[in-house]
Amino acid sequence: MFGKRLKMAAKKAKRKKDKLIESLIAVVGEDAIYYEHEDLLAYECDGYVIHKGLPRAVVFPSTTEEVSQIVKILHAQKIPFIPRGAGTGLSGGATPMGGEVIISLVRMKQLLEVDFENRRAVVQPGFVNLKLTNAIAEKGYYYVPDPSSQRTCTIGGNVGENAGGAHCLKYGVTTNHVLGLEVVLPDGEIVNIGGIPDMPGYDLLGLLTGSEGTLGIVTKITVKILKQPEAQETVCALFDRVEDASHTVSDIISAGIIPAALEMMDKIAIEGVEKGNYPVGYPKDLAAVLLIEVDGIKEGIPEQIEKIIQICQNRNVREVRVASSEAERQAWWNNRKQAFGAMGTISPDYLVQDGVIPRSKLPEVLEKVAQISSKYGLRIANVFHAGDGNLHPLILFDSRVPGDTEKAVAAGSEILKVCADVGGSITGEHGVGIEKKEEMRFIFNDEEIALQVSIRDVFNPENLCNPDKLFPTASRCAEVKAVKRASG
Amino acid sequence: MKPTSMEQIKQGILQILGSRLPEGEVIHCAGNHDENLLGNSGRLVVYPRDENQIGAILRFANEHSLTVIPEGGGTKRGLGGTLEQADILLSMQKIKGVVEHSVGDLIMTVKAGTTLQEIQSVLAKNGQFLPLDPPFPERSTIGGIVASNASGPKRLRYGSCRDLVVGLRVVTADGTIIRTGAKVVKNVAGYDMTKLFVGSMGTLGIITELHLKLKPLPPRRSLMLLTSPGGTEEIWDFSRRIMDSGMEPLALEVLNPGMAERLAGVSRYLLAVGFEDVPKAVDAQEEWVRQNLGQLRKTDMLHDEEAEAWWNRFAAVGTAPFALKVGSLATDVIPVMEAAEQAANNLGLSIICHGGTGLGISRIYVEDHDMRKFQSFYQTMQTFMAEREGYVIIESAPYTVRRGVSVWGDKPSYLRLLEGIKQKFDPRRVLNPGRFVGGI
Amino acid sequence: MSRLVAAEPETRNSNYIFEDPPDEDKFSACVHCGMCLEACPTYQETGLEQHSPRGRVHLIKSVAEGKMTLGEVFSDSVFQCLDCRACETACPANVQVGTLIEQARGQVRQAMPLRGWKGLLSRIFLRGIFPYPRRLFFLGTLLKFYQKSGLQWFCRKTGLLRILPDHLRQMEAVLPKVNKPVITRYPAVVPAEGETRKKVAMLTGCVMDVMFSDINEATIRVLTRNGYEVHLPRQQKCCGALQLHAGDREKAKQLARQNIDAFLAADVDHVIVNAAGCGAALREYGELLHNDPEYKEKAKNFSEKVVDVAKFLHDNGYRKPTGRVEKRITYHDACHLAHAQGIRFEPRKLLKEIPGIELVELPDADRCCGSAGIYNITNPEMASRLLQKKIASIPDQVELVTMGNPGCMLQMAMGVHQHHRKEQVVHTVQVLDWAYQRETEQ
């Protein structure tokens, strides 16, 4: 498959291969492994760049059996490992703590089956999210979860993180769309779970989805595919006051309308996207913009749009407009979906947070975020899935300025505390990873964390599969307690 | 040390529950034998008032190695388990009421012993509803519905319990109170523990409080009953076409002639197609159906309260103590129903059954009380499904039948994981021992 | 081993020791989001981080931080890049990956100069021949002799060509018929037909004018027909893109300065380019010479005048042809038009307005064909994989595959030949030229 020219390890002074590397090469071949120091550098982090760590090796299996054999070798030698998709995660889930073997699933990227009659598709974990929709669009079908990174992120990674997206307000997140999984457990055993709704037994499908690679490695995924809605309309509403925009969000939901998507960006976020690669020409002095998309039966849409426009007007909207063409709608969405990356145009670094709050608390929480921003002297742009109360404050900083990184991390943590305190959560779709391990304590007590750790122990008793992620470090004492309870 | 006499247990429990209330309201002795042939009852029925009392009872049970069966409305006694009686039947009926309804958030928090009907009537005042349609909404409690993952035909549009429950309060077997999820619709902090409890048949903990996702009440509801003068092909063909159109059916439920006779007065295969939306969208979809009927005939058309009344009758149909649930591909639903009819005919049994052609879930109720024939029927259906993707389980049968067969079908290859989870939550096997898959 | 990134500049440990290192402002704009991954042809093929845009930028940063050396791994990463700039289209933060790669290559080539036959060939062609029109034209004459004398026939028949590596043999098979270069045949100023609307200069190119002088001729005909006076400055040189991509920044800068002088002297409104790669390079002279105090401003002024022929016609007006070209065609986006210059709809519009033309979209039209300057010679295997994909995506029953870059044309012609297909590979401007010619025939 890989010819001379693409040999992964270009001719260079070879480090002596150790036994482990030899045995991994025996499984995947010379062309599917990296183990030299400089070859590993590009794998020292994922989309979360604040933490970096070097893996011991990166392997690129092509089949489930190869994954299983690799895991068996690592399990036997007690070497920790990390499954990795495209590495676009935002909480460090695929970032090594140091010394793990990364099992990259990018070569398992086939679309294995599409069954329109049963409305499902089977993909390998390395299959890119948007490619599924592209592959079935011709027949009018699509795959619902649409994280902003959908052009590059893999469905395997989506399952690991239980990815959301802008259109999850009405249709749910990844866990609501996964029907079945083939999983390599941390000891190398291959199991198949789910496939048909209500399979007897505990909901392992629900447990594994969003487990951030700590319970096993997903090697095959059966997902729901849906018929595209008959019609959709998108409204763009420009506001002079953030409060008006946030009240509009609650008003729309309270009026009995559940839009397919309801997105909001504030002034600084708008500044970023307008300087980015996909500007749409929002006025500079705008305080907030709302994107509201309604879909469903064609005949039912106009009255919902009318109602939405009316609500916006009641809340002093400056301008409200329905997309006049698919091109305009796409332009609005491209602009919105590039928001994180576009922060690169107004700041050398950013830290994105992912708190969730009850929608009705939006104005109150935004006020507190503003206070935190001034307390730390860092600009914070707000981009969010307002409909489901999922906030993405983007904390802008410059890692070259001494102390800035620490300040950004502290500000982020403080924002999460605010979210937790109003009954929300510390992460809606980005996962805990390395980043929010400690913040888990904002929403769970020791016993609750211990119980989760004990579930991990059922699958991953030696903590080899993506170790030291997801749970606060000091919960070790709680772990001991849980073990005692279980055995006592 | 297990207190041998029921009196000793009773005294222990009474101490926990306090004696301010009349004894009959907190505890009830069922005696050694219950009239209920479904089993899953208790020698002692207790009615705790809050989660602390549940915690204390479970600690007591743990200490004395007693078995406890939690129960809501008691509509699932025929599902799983081999016990005729546990030591304690822990009734949730006194733990009820809406804790919080946040209208603007479309979220409610409710106590587990509240019945679905009670929930709906509270929500309706604010123009919202909980989109679940399991059998017996007037008796089923929300805790029981979620623990048994009960569902109805409308899940095609609205999803099932796992899609609607966003958080829980649970008392685990050792009496610890834990929280899962939060009062928000999107949450990936830690493992999705909520899902672990949904459908866990009360084997991991006792759900005391639930955070639920709501929907606005649709301004217009409609139901069309279509029958096929020919065979079932037209029904499948229509189902396939509507699912492949941009229409958004609420439910696509096929009824066998026996069930159609009872609910629509026609002894033919019948397809119930529902819509819920704004009036214009419902009208448009009804029109689509009219245009695309093909060979099907419109037998009846109901709106709003009338449609709801029909669905309520539908939900009350499964009273037979002998019932199967089949999970299959959508494409296999009609074959499953036909195979069931065939098998029932061969055995001289009379059945009523229905299946969702958009969902892949069918239910078969055997009306005759013949245990032997029922077992043969179950076996025949298992053989039928063995060649297909899916499963057959016994959703209801007397405990004497359940003792003789594996009601949950074949053991899954990953049973050790399920056993491992049970072991972590309930090492002494206090809660509903043997109720679920593989005897967990 | 994991650590919090030190909150102080690490670039003081930089391993970039030569002039013109990758620009810190440019690489720190990358936030590692990964939006570029699937846009990158080499990542699509390999799935490897170091062969992705964000991976390359990460390594460029790593060298600056002293975590990586200017060695084989780094070299492999930056030289495997096609320089197609698809990542720049995908990037939310406008990271100039292309420029960073060129700067990195400059460092690598100085740290580890090419040796052996590769070094020799590179020196002969990139330094010894391409920059000198006369030497190149002489080579062209030799090539013409090879084609016409029967030597080509002889070599092909006798199997003498087998001494060439496979990919070069394939390329030999599709070499266009060599004509005399335009610059030696046309006057320095070609007058407009009718009233002169604007004065423009044209880059005739180095290889272009040897291999594709017919395209240059078509371009001149189309321009003059539309009232544009075409200047062909005699002192113009190769644009320097190939040298720049190969990491020879010094030579590239020298060529840039010569071209700036030559074209500014012509005193025209626009500098027209019909080769996307050259156009992109000319438009980036400002960037290339940003450290050159004497040429910095001049370069910027010059770059602003440079425009691709299709965009020029679209923006400045042209007469819609009435001659019919009855063809079902498709259009391939040359990377350096679509990604580097953002020119996508203008050529399509030009083509669609020709009577008789049916334009069918090419799936993934803006994915690199693998030509990428001399990439198909230096990295033949990757180039060939991309070409396979490209050829496979040509829609059925297409007669013409059009594009705006001669490099792509050679590559596509090779692909068509390899797959025994019948599509004709042509330049956008050639189709327009035919349409005008048909007018007089009709």
PDB file of all heavy atoms in Angstrom, chain A residues 6 38-39 43-44 46 87 109 277-278 338 400, chain C residues 24 32 44 50 54 58 67 69 88-89 91-92 385:
ATOM      1  N   LEU A   6       6.869   6.814   0.246  1.00  0.00           N
ATOM      2  CA  LEU A   6       6.051   7.217   1.373  1.00  0.00           C
ATOM      3  C   LEU A   6       6.423   6.491   2.638  1.00  0.00           C
ATOM      4  O   LEU A   6       5.748   6.627   3.635  1.00  0.00           O
ATOM      5  CB  LEU A   6       4.589   6.966   1.064  1.00  0.00           C
ATOM      6  CG  LEU A   6       3.967   8.052   0.247  1.00  0.00           C
ATOM      7  CD1 LEU A   6       2.530   7.746  -0.025  1.00  0.00           C
ATOM      8  CD2 LEU A   6       4.098   9.379   0.969  1.00  0.00           C
ATOM      9  N   GLU A  38      11.493  12.317  16.674  1.00  0.00           N
ATOM     10  CA  GLU A  38      10.987  13.439  15.864  1.00  0.00           C
ATOM     11  C   GLU A  38       9.710  13.075  15.123  1.00  0.00           C
ATOM     12  O   GLU A  38       8.892  13.943  14.809  1.00  0.00           O
ATOM     13  CB  GLU A  38      12.069  13.932  14.898  1.00  0.00           C
ATOM     14  CG  GLU A  38      13.213  14.619  15.635  1.00  0.00           C
ATOM     15  CD  GLU A  38      14.027  15.562  14.753  1.00  0.00           C
ATOM     16  OE1 GLU A  38      13.987  15.398  13.518  1.00  0.00           O
ATOM     17  OE2 GLU A  38      14.706  16.444  15.301  1.00  0.00           O
ATOM     18  N   ASP A  39       9.531  11.786  14.841  1.00  0.00           N
ATOM     19  CA  ASP A  39       8.303  11.349  14.183  1.00  0.00           C
ATOM     20  C   ASP A  39       7.101  11.477  15.111  1.00  0.00           C
ATOM     21  O   ASP A  39       5.953  11.506  14.670  1.00  0.00           O
ATOM     22  CB  ASP A  39       8.416   9.881  13.753  1.00  0.00           C
ATOM     23  CG  ASP A  39       9.216   9.732  12.466  1.00  0.00           C
ATOM     24  OD1 ASP A  39       9.163  10.650  11.635  1.00  0.00           O
ATOM     25  OD2 ASP A  39       9.877   8.695  12.296  1.00  0.00           O
ATOM     26  N   TYR A  43       2.360  14.304  17.266  1.00  0.00           N
ATOM     27  CA  TYR A  43       1.294  13.646  18.021  1.00  0.00           C
ATOM     28  C   TYR A  43       1.287  14.045  19.492  1.00  0.00           C
ATOM     29  O   TYR A  43       0.714  13.371  20.320  1.00  0.00           O
ATOM     30  CB  TYR A  43       1.398  12.120  17.863  1.00  0.00           C
ATOM     31  CG  TYR A  43       1.058  11.693  16.460  1.00  0.00           C
ATOM     32  CD1 TYR A  43       2.029  11.655  15.460  1.00  0.00           C
ATOM     33  CD2 TYR A  43      -0.248  11.386  16.115  1.00  0.00           C
ATOM     34  CE1 TYR A  43       1.703  11.305  14.156  1.00  0.00           C
ATOM     35  CE2 TYR A  43      -0.594  11.030  14.819  1.00  0.00           C
ATOM     36  CZ  TYR A  43       0.395  10.998  13.848  1.00  0.00           C
ATOM     37  OH  TYR A  43       0.057  10.659  12.563  1.00  0.00           O
ATOM     38  N   GLU A  44       1.967  15.141  19.815  1.00  0.00           N
ATOM     39  CA  GLU A  44       2.054  15.492  21.236  1.00  0.00           C
ATOM     40  C   GLU A  44       0.815  16.210  21.772  1.00  0.00           C
ATOM     41  O   GLU A  44       0.714  16.424  22.964  1.00  0.00           O
ATOM     42  CB  GLU A  44       3.328  16.286  21.534  1.00  0.00           C
ATOM     43  CG  GLU A  44       3.400  17.637  20.863  1.00  0.00           C
ATOM     44  CD  GLU A  44       4.685  18.396  21.194  1.00  0.00           C
ATOM     45  OE1 GLU A  44       5.523  17.864  21.936  1.00  0.00           O
ATOM     46  OE2 GLU A  44       4.835  19.515  20.691  1.00  0.00           O
ATOM     47  N   ASP A  46      -3.717  17.133  20.782  1.00  0.00           N
ATOM     48  CA  ASP A  46      -4.819  17.161  19.812  1.00  0.00           C
ATOM     49  C   ASP A  46      -5.266  18.615  19.643  1.00  0.00           C
ATOM     50  O   ASP A  46      -4.422  19.504  19.641  1.00  0.00           O
ATOM     51  CB  ASP A  46      -5.963  16.210  20.229  1.00  0.00           C
ATOM     52  CG  ASP A  46      -6.524  16.517  21.628  1.00  0.00           C
ATOM     53  OD1 ASP A  46      -6.222  17.591  22.172  1.00  0.00           O
ATOM     54  OD2 ASP A  46      -7.268  15.665  22.164  1.00  0.00           O
ATOM     55  N   GLY A  87      -7.890  13.730  15.915  1.00  0.00           N
ATOM     56  CA  GLY A  87      -7.170  14.607  16.830  1.00  0.00           C
ATOM     57  C   GLY A  87      -7.696  16.032  16.814  1.00  0.00           C
ATOM     58  O   GLY A  87      -6.926  16.974  16.926  1.00  0.00           O
ATOM     59  N   LYS A 109     -10.993   3.669   7.534  1.00  0.00           N
ATOM     60  CA  LYS A 109     -11.849   4.788   7.141  1.00  0.00           C
ATOM     61  C   LYS A 109     -12.837   4.423   6.042  1.00  0.00           C
ATOM     62  O   LYS A 109     -13.142   5.227   5.178  1.00  0.00           O
ATOM     63  CB  LYS A 109     -10.989   5.977   6.726  1.00  0.00           C
ATOM     64  CG  LYS A 109      -9.995   5.688   5.624  1.00  0.00           C
ATOM     65  CD  LYS A 109      -9.343   6.992   5.182  1.00  0.00           C
ATOM     66  CE  LYS A 109      -8.370   6.749   4.046  1.00  0.00           C
ATOM     67  NZ  LYS A 109      -7.710   7.953   3.604  1.00  0.00           N
ATOM     68  N   ASN A 277     -11.663  33.613   7.534  1.00  0.00           N
ATOM     69  CA  ASN A 277     -11.693  33.255   6.129  1.00  0.00           C
ATOM     70  C   ASN A 277     -13.100  33.287   5.527  1.00  0.00           C
ATOM     71  O   ASN A 277     -13.269  33.213   4.329  1.00  0.00           O
ATOM     72  CB  ASN A 277     -11.100  31.844   5.986  1.00  0.00           C
ATOM     73  CG  ASN A 277     -10.249  31.724   4.751  1.00  0.00           C
ATOM     74  OD1 ASN A 277     -10.324  32.557   3.854  1.00  0.00           O
ATOM     75  ND2 ASN A 277      -9.449  30.688   4.690  1.00  0.00           N
ATOM     76  N   TYR A 278     -14.126  33.324   6.382  1.00  0.00           N
ATOM     77  CA  TYR A 278     -15.497  33.271   5.876  1.00  0.00           C
ATOM     78  C   TYR A 278     -16.371  34.408   6.417  1.00  0.00           C
ATOM     79  O   TYR A 278     -17.379  34.173   7.061  1.00  0.00           O
ATOM     80  CB  TYR A 278     -16.126  31.916   6.216  1.00  0.00           C
ATOM     81  CG  TYR A 278     -15.468  30.767   5.502  1.00  0.00           C
ATOM     82  CD1 TYR A 278     -14.335  30.161   6.031  1.00  0.00           C
ATOM     83  CD2 TYR A 278     -15.982  30.295   4.293  1.00  0.00           C
ATOM     84  CE1 TYR A 278     -13.718  29.110   5.365  1.00  0.00           C
ATOM     85  CE2 TYR A 278     -15.381  29.252   3.631  1.00  0.00           C
ATOM     86  CZ  TYR A 278     -14.245  28.661   4.163  1.00  0.00           C
ATOM     87  OH  TYR A 278     -13.638  27.630   3.511  1.00  0.00           O
ATOM     88  N   GLN A 338     -16.707  28.183  11.653  1.00  0.00           N
ATOM     89  CA  GLN A 338     -15.270  28.423  11.704  1.00  0.00           C
ATOM     90  C   GLN A 338     -14.906  29.309  12.886  1.00  0.00           C
ATOM     91  O   GLN A 338     -13.775  29.759  12.993  1.00  0.00           O
ATOM     92  CB  GLN A 338     -14.815  29.103  10.405  1.00  0.00           C
ATOM     93  CG  GLN A 338     -15.200  28.376   9.146  1.00  0.00           C
ATOM     94  CD  GLN A 338     -14.215  27.307   8.781  1.00  0.00           C
ATOM     95  OE1 GLN A 338     -13.090  27.324   9.239  1.00  0.00           O
ATOM     96  NE2 GLN A 338     -14.619  26.352   7.975  1.00  0.00           N
ATOM     97  N   ARG A 400       2.794  33.551  25.004  1.00  0.00           N
ATOM     98  CA  ARG A 400       4.150  34.106  25.100  1.00  0.00           C
ATOM     99  C   ARG A 400       4.260  35.145  26.207  1.00  0.00           C
ATOM    100  O   ARG A 400       5.340  35.500  26.630  1.00  0.00           O
ATOM    101  CB  ARG A 400       4.563  34.714  23.749  1.00  0.00           C
ATOM    102  CG  ARG A 400       4.676  33.669  22.654  1.00  0.00           C
ATOM    103  CD  ARG A 400       4.754  34.300  21.292  1.00  0.00           C
ATOM    104  NE  ARG A 400       3.554  35.062  20.969  1.00  0.00           N
ATOM    105  CZ  ARG A 400       3.330  35.628  19.794  1.00  0.00           C
ATOM    106  NH1 ARG A 400       4.238  35.573  18.843  1.00  0.00           N
ATOM    107  NH2 ARG A 400       2.214  36.283  19.577  1.00  0.00           N
TER     108      ARG A 400
ATOM    109  N   GLU C  24       7.254  33.967  12.860  1.00  0.00           N
ATOM    110  CA  GLU C  24       6.584  33.559  14.100  1.00  0.00           C
ATOM    111  C   GLU C  24       5.107  33.972  14.130  1.00  0.00           C
ATOM    112  O   GLU C  24       4.244  33.216  14.560  1.00  0.00           O
ATOM    113  CB  GLU C  24       7.305  34.147  15.305  1.00  0.00           C
ATOM    114  CG  GLU C  24       6.718  33.636  16.605  1.00  0.00           C
ATOM    115  CD  GLU C  24       7.420  34.165  17.832  1.00  0.00           C
ATOM    116  OE1 GLU C  24       8.598  34.564  17.723  1.00  0.00           O
ATOM    117  OE2 GLU C  24       6.790  34.170  18.897  1.00  0.00           O
ATOM    118  N   HIS C  32      -4.234  24.959  15.857  1.00  0.00           N
ATOM    119  CA  HIS C  32      -4.216  23.488  15.861  1.00  0.00           C
ATOM    120  C   HIS C  32      -5.631  22.905  15.860  1.00  0.00           C
ATOM    121  O   HIS C  32      -5.869  21.855  16.446  1.00  0.00           O
ATOM    122  CB  HIS C  32      -3.450  22.998  17.106  1.00  0.00           C
ATOM    123  CG  HIS C  32      -2.666  21.747  16.867  1.00  0.00           C
ATOM    124  ND1 HIS C  32      -2.979  20.540  17.450  1.00  0.00           N
ATOM    125  CD2 HIS C  32      -1.578  21.504  16.108  1.00  0.00           C
ATOM    126  CE1 HIS C  32      -2.112  19.618  17.072  1.00  0.00           C
ATOM    127  NE2 HIS C  32      -1.246  20.170  16.250  1.00  0.00           N
ATOM    128  N   GLN C  44      -5.056  13.298   3.241  1.00  0.00           N
ATOM    129  CA  GLN C  44      -6.108  12.385   2.778  1.00  0.00           C
ATOM    130  C   GLN C  44      -5.512  11.041   2.387  1.00  0.00           C
ATOM    131  O   GLN C  44      -6.089  10.001   2.639  1.00  0.00           O
ATOM    132  CB  GLN C  44      -6.810  12.967   1.554  1.00  0.00           C
ATOM    133  CG  GLN C  44      -7.880  13.964   1.901  1.00  0.00           C
ATOM    134  CD  GLN C  44      -8.685  14.381   0.675  1.00  0.00           C
ATOM    135  OE1 GLN C  44      -8.324  14.063  -0.455  1.00  0.00           O
ATOM    136  NE2 GLN C  44      -9.758  15.097   0.898  1.00  0.00           N
ATOM    137  N   GLN C  50       2.170  14.502  10.307  1.00  0.00           N
ATOM    138  CA  GLN C  50       3.258  15.315   9.733  1.00  0.00           C
ATOM    139  C   GLN C  50       3.072  15.575   8.250  1.00  0.00           C
ATOM    140  O   GLN C  50       3.799  16.362   7.679  1.00  0.00           O
ATOM    141  CB  GLN C  50       4.657  14.764   9.997  1.00  0.00           C
ATOM    142  CG  GLN C  50       4.821  13.289   9.936  1.00  0.00           C
ATOM    143  CD  GLN C  50       4.641  12.711  11.315  1.00  0.00           C
ATOM    144  OE1 GLN C  50       3.539  12.663  11.811  1.00  0.00           O
ATOM    145  NE2 GLN C  50       5.710  12.293  11.941  1.00  0.00           N
ATOM    146  N   ARG C  54      -1.674  21.221   9.559  1.00  0.00           N
ATOM    147  CA  ARG C  54      -1.482  21.617  10.951  1.00  0.00           C
ATOM    148  C   ARG C  54      -0.271  20.903  11.530  1.00  0.00           C
ATOM    149  O   ARG C  54       0.466  21.461  12.341  1.00  0.00           O
ATOM    150  CB  ARG C  54      -2.762  21.329  11.727  1.00  0.00           C
ATOM    151  CG  ARG C  54      -2.636  20.361  12.843  1.00  0.00           C
ATOM    152  CD  ARG C  54      -3.900  20.143  13.597  1.00  0.00           C
ATOM    153  NE  ARG C  54      -4.026  18.720  13.876  1.00  0.00           N
ATOM    154  CZ  ARG C  54      -4.930  18.209  14.671  1.00  0.00           C
ATOM    155  NH1 ARG C  54      -5.821  18.971  15.243  1.00  0.00           N
ATOM    156  NH2 ARG C  54      -4.979  16.920  14.878  1.00  0.00           N
ATOM    157  N   HIS C  58       2.923  22.641  13.030  1.00  0.00           N
ATOM    158  CA  HIS C  58       3.348  22.250  14.376  1.00  0.00           C
ATOM    159  C   HIS C  58       4.856  21.947  14.397  1.00  0.00           C
ATOM    160  O   HIS C  58       5.564  22.351  15.316  1.00  0.00           O
ATOM    161  CB  HIS C  58       2.566  21.010  14.812  1.00  0.00           C
ATOM    162  CG  HIS C  58       2.790  20.612  16.238  1.00  0.00           C
ATOM    163  ND1 HIS C  58       2.189  21.250  17.296  1.00  0.00           N
ATOM    164  CD2 HIS C  58       3.565  19.639  16.782  1.00  0.00           C
ATOM    165  CE1 HIS C  58       2.579  20.690  18.428  1.00  0.00           C
ATOM    166  NE2 HIS C  58       3.412  19.708  18.147  1.00  0.00           N
ATOM    167  N   LYS C  67      12.737  22.161  19.635  1.00  0.00           N
ATOM    168  CA  LYS C  67      12.379  20.780  19.979  1.00  0.00           C
ATOM    169  C   LYS C  67      12.687  19.801  18.852  1.00  0.00           C
ATOM    170  O   LYS C  67      12.614  18.598  19.018  1.00  0.00           O
ATOM    171  CB  LYS C  67      10.877  20.702  20.313  1.00  0.00           C
ATOM    172  CG  LYS C  67      10.564  21.382  21.606  1.00  0.00           C
ATOM    173  CD  LYS C  67       9.133  21.374  22.087  1.00  0.00           C
ATOM    174  CE  LYS C  67       8.040  20.852  21.247  1.00  0.00           C
ATOM    175  NZ  LYS C  67       6.711  21.298  21.729  1.00  0.00           N
ATOM    176  N   THR C  69      15.035  19.201  15.003  1.00  0.00           N
ATOM    177  CA  THR C  69      16.183  19.646  14.225  1.00  0.00           C
ATOM    178  C   THR C  69      15.782  19.839  12.769  1.00  0.00           C
ATOM    179  O   THR C  69      14.752  19.352  12.324  1.00  0.00           O
ATOM    180  CB  THR C  69      17.308  18.590  14.272  1.00  0.00           C
ATOM    181  OG1 THR C  69      16.772  17.373  13.744  1.00  0.00           O
ATOM    182  CG2 THR C  69      17.792  18.368  15.688  1.00  0.00           C
ATOM    183  N   GLU C  88      -5.214  26.599   2.994  1.00  0.00           N
ATOM    184  CA  GLU C  88      -5.458  28.027   3.242  1.00  0.00           C
ATOM    185  C   GLU C  88      -6.925  28.372   3.015  1.00  0.00           C
ATOM    186  O   GLU C  88      -7.484  29.244   3.670  1.00  0.00           O
ATOM    187  CB  GLU C  88      -4.533  28.882   2.372  1.00  0.00           C
ATOM    188  CG  GLU C  88      -3.073  28.680   2.748  1.00  0.00           C
ATOM    189  CD  GLU C  88      -2.122  29.656   2.071  1.00  0.00           C
ATOM    190  OE1 GLU C  88      -2.591  30.588   1.385  1.00  0.00           O
ATOM    191  OE2 GLU C  88      -0.901  29.473   2.226  1.00  0.00           O
ATOM    192  N   THR C  89      -7.550  27.668   2.071  1.00  0.00           N
ATOM    193  CA  THR C  89      -8.985  27.860   1.869  1.00  0.00           C
ATOM    194  C   THR C  89      -9.752  27.360   3.089  1.00  0.00           C
ATOM    195  O   THR C  89     -10.722  27.970   3.519  1.00  0.00           O
ATOM    196  CB  THR C  89      -9.450  27.090   0.624  1.00  0.00           C
ATOM    197  OG1 THR C  89      -8.729  27.566  -0.504  1.00  0.00           O
ATOM    198  CG2 THR C  89     -10.936  27.265   0.379  1.00  0.00           C
ATOM    199  N   CYS C  91      -8.644  27.019   6.180  1.00  0.00           N
ATOM    200  CA  CYS C  91      -8.227  27.546   7.482  1.00  0.00           C
ATOM    201  C   CYS C  91      -9.117  28.685   7.967  1.00  0.00           C
ATOM    202  O   CYS C  91      -9.278  29.690   7.279  1.00  0.00           O
ATOM    203  CB  CYS C  91      -6.791  28.046   7.414  1.00  0.00           C
ATOM    204  SG  CYS C  91      -6.255  28.753   8.988  1.00  0.00           S
ATOM    205  N   PRO C  92      -9.689  28.544   9.162  1.00  0.00           N
ATOM    206  CA  PRO C  92     -10.531  29.626   9.685  1.00  0.00           C
ATOM    207  C   PRO C  92      -9.710  30.863  10.044  1.00  0.00           C
ATOM    208  O   PRO C  92     -10.250  31.957  10.117  1.00  0.00           O
ATOM    209  CB  PRO C  92     -11.162  29.038  10.941  1.00  0.00           C
ATOM    210  CG  PRO C  92     -10.780  27.605  10.978  1.00  0.00           C
ATOM    211  CD  PRO C  92      -9.595  27.427  10.100  1.00  0.00           C
ATOM    212  N   ARG C 385      -0.737   8.904  -7.262  1.00  0.00           N
ATOM    213  CA  ARG C 385      -1.964   8.531  -6.549  1.00  0.00           C
ATOM    214  C   ARG C 385      -3.034   9.620  -6.681  1.00  0.00           C
ATOM    215  O   ARG C 385      -4.212   9.344  -6.851  1.00  0.00           O
ATOM    216  CB  ARG C 385      -1.656   8.322  -5.074  1.00  0.00           C
ATOM    217  CG  ARG C 385      -0.955   7.000  -4.831  1.00  0.00           C
ATOM    218  CD  ARG C 385      -1.296   6.527  -3.466  1.00  0.00           C
ATOM    219  NE  ARG C 385      -0.202   6.720  -2.548  1.00  0.00           N
ATOM    220  CZ  ARG C 385      -0.343   6.618  -1.227  1.00  0.00           C
ATOM    221  NH1 ARG C 385      -1.529   6.397  -0.717  1.00  0.00           N
ATOM    222  NH2 ARG C 385       0.684   6.755  -0.446  1.00  0.00           N
TER     223      ARG C 385
END
